[in-house]
Coordinates of all heavy atoms in Angstrom, one line a residue:
K5 N 41.7 -45.6 53.9 CA 42.5 -44.6 53.1 C 42.7 -45.0 51.7 O 43.1 -44.2 50.8 CB 43.9 -44.4 53.8 CG 43.7 -43.7 55.1 CD 45.1 -43.4 55.7 CE 45.0 -42.6 57.0 NZ 46.4 -42.4 57.6
T6 N 42.6 -46.3 51.3 CA 42.9 -46.8 50.0 C 41.6 -47.1 49.2 O 41.7 -47.5 48.0 CB 43.7 -48.1 50.1 OG1 43.0 -49.1 50.8 CG2 45.0 -47.9 50.8
I7 N 40.4 -46.8 49.7 CA 39.2 -47.1 49.0 C 39.0 -46.0 47.9 O 39.1 -44.9 48.2 CB 38.0 -47.1 49.9 CG1 38.1 -48.2 51.0 CG2 36.7 -47.2 49.2 CD1 38.0 -49.6 50.4
K8 N 38.8 -46.5 46.7 CA 38.5 -45.6 45.6 C 37.1 -45.0 45.7 O 36.2 -45.6 46.2 CB 38.7 -46.3 44.2 CG 40.1 -46.8 44.0 CD 40.3 -47.3 42.6 CE 39.4 -48.4 42.2 NZ 39.6 -48.9 40.8
H9 N 36.9 -43.8 45.0 CA 35.6 -43.2 45.0 C 34.5 -44.1 44.3 O 33.4 -44.1 44.8 CB 35.7 -41.8 44.3 CG 36.5 -40.8 45.1 ND1 36.1 -40.4 46.3 CD2 37.7 -40.2 44.8 CE1 37.0 -39.5 46.8 NE2 38.0 -39.4 45.8
G10 N 34.9 -44.7 43.2 CA 34.0 -45.6 42.5 C 33.5 -46.7 43.4 O 32.3 -47.1 43.4
V11 N 34.4 -47.3 44.1 CA 34.1 -48.5 45.0 C 33.2 -48.0 46.2 O 32.3 -48.6 46.5 CB 35.4 -49.1 45.6 CG1 35.0 -50.2 46.5 CG2 36.3 -49.6 44.4
L12 N 33.5 -46.8 46.7 CA 32.8 -46.2 47.8 C 31.3 -46.0 47.3 O 30.4 -46.3 48.0 CB 33.4 -44.9 48.2 CG 32.6 -44.1 49.3 CD1 32.6 -44.9 50.6 CD2 33.3 -42.8 49.6
I13 N 31.1 -45.4 46.1 CA 29.8 -45.2 45.5 C 29.1 -46.5 45.4 O 27.9 -46.7 45.7 CB 29.9 -44.5 44.2 CG1 30.4 -43.0 44.4 CG2 28.5 -44.4 43.5 CD1 30.8 -42.3 43.1
F14 N 29.8 -47.5 44.8 CA 29.1 -48.9 44.6 C 28.7 -49.5 45.9 O 27.6 -49.9 46.1 CB 30.1 -49.8 43.9 CG 29.5 -51.2 43.6 CD1 28.8 -51.4 42.4 CD2 29.6 -52.2 44.5 CE1 28.3 -52.7 42.2 CE2 29.1 -53.4 44.3 CZ 28.4 -53.7 43.1
D15 N 29.6 -49.5 46.9 CA 29.3 -50.1 48.2 C 28.2 -49.3 48.9 O 27.3 -49.9 49.5 CB 30.5 -50.1 49.1 CG 31.5 -51.1 48.7 OD1 31.1 -52.1 48.0 OD2 32.7 -51.0 49.0
S16 N 28.2 -48.0 48.8 CA 27.1 -47.2 49.5 C 25.8 -47.5 48.8 O 24.8 -47.7 49.5 CB 27.4 -45.7 49.3 OG 28.7 -45.4 49.9
A17 N 25.8 -47.6 47.5 CA 24.5 -47.9 46.8 C 24.0 -49.3 47.1 O 22.8 -49.5 47.3 CB 24.8 -47.7 45.3
T18 N 25.0 -50.2 47.2 CA 24.6 -51.6 47.5 C 24.0 -51.7 48.9 O 22.9 -52.4 49.0 CB 25.8 -52.5 47.4 OG1 26.4 -52.5 46.0 CG2 25.5 -54.0 47.6
I19 N 24.6 -51.1 49.8 CA 24.1 -51.2 51.2 C 22.8 -50.5 51.3 O 21.9 -51.0 52.0 CB 25.2 -50.5 52.2 CG1 26.4 -51.4 52.3 CG2 24.5 -50.4 53.6 CD1 27.5 -50.8 53.1
L20 N 22.7 -49.3 50.6 CA 21.4 -48.6 50.6 C 20.3 -49.4 50.0 O 19.1 -49.5 50.6 CB 21.6 -47.3 49.9 CG 20.3 -46.4 49.8 CD1 19.9 -45.9 51.2 CD2 20.6 -45.1 48.9
I21 N 20.5 -50.0 48.9 CA 19.5 -50.9 48.2 C 19.1 -52.1 49.1 O 18.0 -52.4 49.3 CB 20.1 -51.4 46.9 CG1 20.2 -50.2 45.9 CG2 19.1 -52.5 46.3 CD1 20.9 -50.6 44.6
T22 N 20.2 -52.7 49.7 CA 19.9 -53.9 50.6 C 19.1 -53.5 51.8 O 18.1 -54.2 52.2 CB 21.2 -54.5 51.0 OG1 22.0 -54.8 49.9 CG2 21.0 -55.8 51.8
L23 N 19.4 -52.4 52.4 CA 18.7 -51.9 53.6 C 17.3 -51.5 53.2 O 16.3 -51.7 54.0 CB 19.4 -50.7 54.3 CG 20.7 -51.0 54.9 CD1 21.4 -49.7 55.5 CD2 20.5 -52.0 56.1
T24 N 17.1 -50.9 52.0 CA 15.7 -50.6 51.6 C 14.9 -51.8 51.4 O 13.7 -51.9 51.7 CB 15.8 -49.8 50.2 OG1 16.6 -48.6 50.4 CG2 14.5 -49.4 49.7
I25 N 15.5 -52.9 50.8 CA 14.8 -54.2 50.6 C 14.4 -54.8 51.9 O 13.3 -55.2 52.1 CB 15.7 -55.1 49.8 CG1 15.9 -54.7 48.4 CG2 15.2 -56.6 49.8 CD1 16.9 -55.5 47.6
L26 N 15.3 -54.7 52.9 CA 15.1 -55.3 54.2 C 14.0 -54.5 54.9 O 13.1 -55.0 55.6 CB 16.3 -55.3 55.1 CG 17.4 -56.2 54.7 CD1 18.7 -56.0 55.5 CD2 17.0 -57.7 54.7
Y27 N 14.0 -53.1 54.8 CA 13.0 -52.3 55.4 C 11.6 -52.6 54.8 O 10.6 -52.8 55.5 CB 13.3 -50.8 55.1 CG 12.2 -49.9 55.6 CD1 12.2 -49.5 56.9 CD2 11.3 -49.4 54.7 CE1 11.2 -48.6 57.4 CE2 10.3 -48.5 55.2 CZ 10.2 -48.1 56.5 OH 9.2 -47.3 56.9
A28 N 11.5 -52.7 53.5 CA 10.3 -53.1 52.8 C 9.8 -54.5 53.2 O 8.6 -54.7 53.3 CB 10.5 -53.0 51.3
H29 N 10.8 -55.4 53.4 CA 10.4 -56.7 53.8 C 9.8 -56.8 55.2 O 8.8 -57.5 55.4 CB 11.6 -57.6 53.7 CG 11.3 -59.1 54.1 ND1 10.9 -60.0 53.2 CD2 11.4 -59.7 55.3 CE1 10.8 -61.2 53.8 NE2 11.0 -61.0 55.1
F30 N 10.3 -56.1 56.1 CA 9.9 -56.2 57.5 C 8.8 -55.2 57.8 O 7.9 -55.4 58.7 CB 11.1 -56.0 58.5 CG 12.0 -57.1 58.5 CD1 13.3 -57.0 57.9 CD2 11.7 -58.3 59.1 CE1 14.2 -58.0 58.0 CE2 12.6 -59.4 59.1 CZ 13.8 -59.3 58.5
L31 N 8.8 -54.0 57.2 CA 7.9 -52.9 57.6 C 7.0 -52.4 56.5 O 6.1 -51.6 56.7 CB 8.7 -51.7 58.2 CG 9.6 -52.0 59.4 CD1 10.5 -50.8 59.7 CD2 8.8 -52.4 60.6
G32 N 7.2 -53.0 55.3 CA 6.4 -52.6 54.1 C 4.9 -53.1 54.2 O 4.6 -53.9 55.1
E33 N 4.1 -52.7 53.3 CA 2.7 -53.2 53.2 C 2.6 -54.7 53.0 O 1.7 -55.3 53.6 CB 2.0 -52.4 52.0 CG 1.8 -51.0 52.3 CD 1.0 -50.3 51.1 OE1 0.4 -51.1 50.3 OE2 1.0 -49.1 51.1

């Protein structure tokens, strides 16, 4: 309930970027 929108956007972007990196690492060309 206390998470700010800016922090939510940052965390979402960070997790998305990290998961994309992991996906590319394990399943990429």
Side-chain angles (χ1 to χ4, degrees):
K5 292 183 179 179
T6 59
I7 298 291
K8 296 191 300 182
H9 292 296
V11 178
L12 178 61
I13 293 169
F14 180 91
D15 285 340
S16 301
T18 301
I19 291 174
L20 181 62
I21 291 169
T22 305
L23 291 176
T24 303
I25 290 171
L26 293 176
Y27 175 83
H29 179 88
F30 289 109
L31 301 173
E33 291 183 13

